[in-house]
Amino acid sequence: MPAWVINCYGQNNVLQLASNMMLPFIRLPNEVIIRVHAASLNPIDVNMRSGYGATALNIRRDPLKIKTTGDEFPLTLGRDVSGVVMECGLSVSYFKPGDEVWAAIPPWKQGTLSEFVVASGNEVSFKPKSLCHTEAAALPYVGLTAWSAMNQIGGLNQNNCAGKRILILGASGGVGTFAIQLMKAWGAHVTAVCSRDAKSVVTKLGADDVIDYKSGDTEEQLKPLPLFDFILDNVGGSTEKWALNFLKRWSGATYVTLVTPFLLNMDRLGVADGMLQTGITMGTKAVKHLCKGVHYRWAFFTPSGVFLDEIAQLVDSGKIRPVIDEVFSFSEVPKAFLKVEQGHVHGKIVISLFNKI
């Protein structure tokens, strides 16, 4: 089968189109094989191409270290998939061949920039009926990342969001555009921080207030606004030095960042020291801010077919829609990577395989 793979970590020139990759096969009874109709790119794909997270991901792939170094290659990138079930393992009863499904594949597994991909049954969900495959492929990874941050870590849900003030930093990217819609679906007031050229996009998604970080200091622009109950930080860096000052103190207000040093620490320090340093950093920051009356949390992508079921209901009810910056053909994958790497993508970059395969 055709697949875009890398045989070493590096810049965009390491991407190679392999036309004779071995077809995947079911190893476990709970797995399904999906024929990929569309995939999409996320920043993690660009980072993984360069070797980010390799230490931790290789441990997840091979916990007993049975295999040799570099055995993850050839590595197929891509996390999102929308397609059709081709084959099911013996214990899979919820799906059958021919079902239209979508999923987000964990980063330690072979990815979706290929004709076929294997997924665990509990990672898969029926595709929203209201979306075509190209549209559906834009949502799973960013949707599950936002769901993990806001629902699982932040404790927000459809029953407790009414009237709450939410601040989203980096609101025009894939996670940000999904988070805006999720919070509006649950009745919250949303303030979005993005660049001026993305203002119309986030406004159409329902953002109540929009802050243009290019028109002046973001911190100064936020000061006239009432304090927030929840902050989702997709930016990281210096933002956490001032962002937590805009939370309501001693009210259960929470700051959740998706930019964590976990994988970087393991790459830089090794497994043991990296985990130790990560634990110390996380614990120190959590205690420091708890003493100031706010909660500090990290969030990570979590694969889940159950959560995708809930997202699909929101999509089919018209409350969430995909935001697609551009669609590339399968032959244009390197070009798509460059666009993601350059940044300032409004929504998602989608790869269509339907016309190719």
Side-chain angles (χ1 to χ4, degrees), residues 34 83-86 88 94-101 126 133:
I34 301 170
V84 176
V85 174
M86 301 301 293
C88 299
Y94 197 58
F95 303 103
K96 65 182 185 303
D99 286 340
E100 294 190 329
V101 296
F126 290 106
H133 288 294

Side-chain angles (χ1 to χ4, degrees), residues 114-137:
S114 59
E115 185 176 3
F116 297 96
V117 67
V118 173
S120 298
N122 58 8
E123 297 164 355
V124 180
S125 168
F126 290 106
K127 178 183 72 66
K129 293 181 175 59
S130 59
L131 300 182
C132 68
H133 288 294
T134 301
E135 295 169 325

